Amino acid sequence: MNRKIGIAMHGGAGTILKSQMNPEKEAMYTDALKEAVLAGEAILLKNGLAVDAVEAVVRKLEDNPLFNAGKGSVFTHDGKNEMDASIMDGKTLKAGAVTGVTHVRNPVNLARAVMDHTEHVFLSGSGAVDFARAMGIPLETDEYFYVQYRYDQLKRARESDTIVLDHTAIKDIDEKKFGTVGAVALDVFGNVAAATSTGGMTNKKHGRIGDSPIIGAGTYANNKTCAISCTGHGEFFIRSVVAYDISCLMEYKGLTLKEACNYVVKDKLKKLGGEGGLIAIDTHGNIEMPFNTEGMYRASKHGEDELVTGIY
Ligand code: ASP
């Protein structure tokens, strides 16, 4: 039990242009990333479980309106917030996920409750919200989720008739490009886990489901291989079954984490036209954070190594 712990997180990928950044903004993102990673690391340092660490990191980011998850979620075409989240424990291969949920303050906690307290994996819409109520998981009003710049993003997306990744600039007006959030971790017992949470894509159709809550597409964890959380244009990640593909390339083909990640993100996905990236950790604590967009908000911490953050 003297393995090295490790944790990594993302806050979304997309057209994050250096030219649109300033030192204050950059510091704001970096501080939020650091704070979240340290919250996860603190759990792992106390011999906590990887699954608890990823849940805590994602929850923290859901509460931060800078990110497109929980408070700060983007709007659907109809002006609603429909959120998706998932979590998976690599030790048991148990998973929980929710899609199209409204008013739930922390969708990742709801996904965890689905995993821990039902015989199901995936709940949707009003059924998921009813379950949240039954479990005493906090719900919030529409006002809690209303963030003005998100609504402005929707108006611009509607005008240009596009469905956009939250961090993709629409013309030159969108300065605030924050994204979907996710975390992966390795605990002292050698368990890996992954969690992802999102408001999806701005101007998405009512009922649209992205990759984030789909086990195998946006989230996957397996103690035989690795844990993965994705961010990007969900439709392409679903079609490419990205997270499971990486695990399979390691399990069946013997690729390293790095080889599998680079092949899937920079070759397969790219050829298909899928923009985005992911974070991954294997059971040795190797961490990969590849993306094929201009940037991806990311941070990681491995053992006693320095905390690493990055945007571009
Ligand atoms: N993957 C998410 C989705 O398609 C969006 C994102 O990563 O920002 O819903």
Side-chain angles (χ1 to χ4, degrees):
M1 204 188 74
N2 49 13
R3 289 162 165 269
K4 274 197 180 162
I5 56 170
I7 185 147
M9 55 141 301
H10 68 74
T15 319
I16 306 165
L17 301 175
K18 213 169 181 145
S19 56
Q20 290 184 1
M21 272 287 179
N22 60 47
E24 292 77 48
K25 258 199 250 173
E26 203 160 315
M28 206 163 66
Y29 302 152
T30 309
D31 289 350
L33 297 174
K34 276 187 193 159
E35 204 193 309
V37 158
L38 292 176
E41 190 199 29
I43 292 174
L44 298 172
L45 285 173
K46 285 187 220 137
N47 295 345
L49 297 176
V51 71
D52 292 329
V54 294
E55 184 183 4
V57 170
V58 168
R59 185 192 161 97
K60 213 168 182 51
L61 298 168
E62 285 176 341
D63 289 341
N64 187 335
L66 296 181
F67 298 97
N68 170 23
K71 185 175 175 67
S73 286
V74 299
F75 286 95
T76 65
H77 181 74
D78 307 333
K80 303 257 164 54
N81 304 112
E82 292 178 8
M83 300 170 287
D84 299 334
S86 63
I87 189 162
M88 185 161 185
D89 179 358
K91 180 184 178 191
T92 56
L93 299 185
K94 279 183 151 193
V98 292
T99 184
V101 297
T102 55
H103 302 112
V104 176
R105 184 187 177 108
N106 292 109
V108 73
N109 294 149
L110 184 55
R112 177 76 189 260
V114 171
M115 174 169 104
D116 287 350
H117 303 294
T118 75
E119 64 272 37
H120 306 304
V121 168
F122 207 175
L123 294 185
S124 72
S126 58
V129 179
D130 287 347
F131 176 64
R133 245 182 236 112
M135 294 298 297
I137 287 175
L139 302 179
E140 299 288 349
T141 58
D142 284 341
E143 290 70 53
Y144 173 83
F145 291 98
Y146 189 93
V147 175
Q148 188 60 45
Y149 67 78
R150 293 291 186 215
Y151 203 75
D152 297 341
Q153 278 179 330
L154 170 65
K155 283 199 276 192
R156 294 195 294 272
R158 273 184 186 153
E159 277 156 23
S160 60
D161 199 20
T162 46
I163 297 158
V164 273
L165 269 180
D166 146 60
H167 10 256
T168 291
I170 306 167
K171 298 187 191 117
D172 57 343
I173 19 189
D174 189 354
E175 287 196 357
K176 292 192 163 92
K177 298 174 287 294
F178 313 101
T180 289
V181 303
V184 295
L186 168 69
D187 64 30
V188 285
F189 310 104
N191 303 312
V192 291
T196 313
S197 181
T198 189
M201 289 175 75
T202 301
N203 202 22
K204 68 182 181 181
K205 273 198 173 34
H206 166 56
R208 178 261 187 188
I209 304 171
D211 61 312
S212 309
I214 298 180
I215 299 301
T219 304
Y220 189 71
N222 186 338
N223 272 10
K224 275 192 188 159
T225 53
C226 62
I228 295 144
S229 168
C230 302
T231 172
H233 198 145
E235 280 69 10
F236 293 89
F237 282 69
I238 296 171
R239 288 164 57 202
S240 306
V241 203
V242 168
Y244 188 57
D245 197 22
I246 289 174
S247 175
C248 286
L249 286 167
M250 294 176 71
E251 185 176 357
Y252 303 142
K253 236 183 158 190
L255 262 56
T256 63
L257 184 72
K258 192 184 191 76
E259 288 165 347
C261 286
N262 283 338
Y263 175 51
V264 171
V265 176
K266 297 189 177 157
D267 188 351
K268 281 179 88 173
L269 252 182
K270 215 176 157 133
K271 280 183 185 147
L272 203 64
E275 283 182 326
L278 56 84
I279 49 165
I281 190 164
D282 68 15
T283 43
H284 307 287
N286 295 307
I287 292 173
E288 292 296 329
M289 303 192 277
F291 51 95
N292 63 29
T293 46
E294 277 80 356
M296 180 172 80
Y297 296 107
R298 60 196 185 279
S300 68
K301 180 89 173 64
H302 178 222
E304 284 86 50
D305 299 353
E306 291 276 301
L307 193 157
V308 176
T309 61
I311 300 178
Y312 316 102

